[in-house]
Amino acid sequence: MIYGREDVKTVLKNFGEITLAFSFSFLPPLILSLFESLSHIYFFALPCVISFLIGFALKQIKTKRPTTLVHAFVVVLLIWIFLPMLGGLPFWLWGKSFLDSYFESMSALTTTGLSVIWDKMPPSLTFW
């Protein structure tokens, strides 16, 4: 079980590595948005930078404890809670509600194919 400060450091470091890697997933729609409109760039640039900075900062944590199965479970829990928030930022910046944005992002990350956004979206958001 997770009891001490070293355990929390291990979990946060691992979560930071995943978040840092996740930040690069914003780059393909960011490149696509360059061909649409300059006003659409921040839909992906802002979440990319936020995700990168959080991931980079957490990855710098020094820990002596190796990752155990319990640490991995907690990291997965954090991933399923926080990465859809980051992934939903482009939809939220586009003007959708937080709940619709979170649902749309969770749907994409779990590949269920459900969608609550039926409006005419820019191609970069559809791609995302």
Side-chain angles (χ1 to χ4, degrees):
M1 298 195 70
I2 296 181
Y3 293 111
R5 182 175 291 184
E6 284 298 315
D7 294 313
V8 172
K9 285 181 179 180
T10 302
V11 166
L12 289 177
K13 180 178 177 70
N14 289 322
F15 177 69
E17 291 171 356
I18 301 292
T19 306
L20 184 64
F22 183 68
S23 70
F24 293 104
S25 69
F26 290 102
L27 294 180
L30 176 64
I31 292 168
L32 181 61
S33 69
L34 292 173
F35 298 105
E36 293 172 0
S37 170
L38 293 179
S39 64
H40 294 169
I41 292 173
Y42 80 98
F43 290 166
F44 302 102
L46 183 63
C48 180
V49 169
I50 290 171
S51 180
F52 183 85
L53 291 176
I54 290 171
F56 185 77
L58 292 176
K59 191 174 186 239
Q60 302 307 311
I61 295 174
K62 303 291 184 213
T63 181
K64 299 172 189 154
R65 185 155 306 185
T67 304
T68 64
L69 187 60
V70 174
H71 295 134
F73 284 141
V74 175
V75 170
V76 169
L77 173 71
L78 291 174
I79 287 169
W80 284 117
I81 292 172
F82 291 109
L83 289 192
M85 286 183 194
L86 290 170
L89 278 176
F91 299 111
W92 184 72
L93 291 170
W94 185 53
K96 289 298 170 187
S97 71
F98 173 78
L99 189 58
D100 286 346
S101 300
Y102 189 85
F103 180 87
E104 198 70 29
S105 179
M106 181 64 84
S107 172
L109 291 173
T110 59
T111 64
T112 59
L114 297 173
S115 181
V116 294
I117 299 177
W118 295 100
D119 297 338
K120 179 74 175 141
M121 287 190 290
S124 57
L125 277 174
T126 304
F127 179 71
W128 175 243

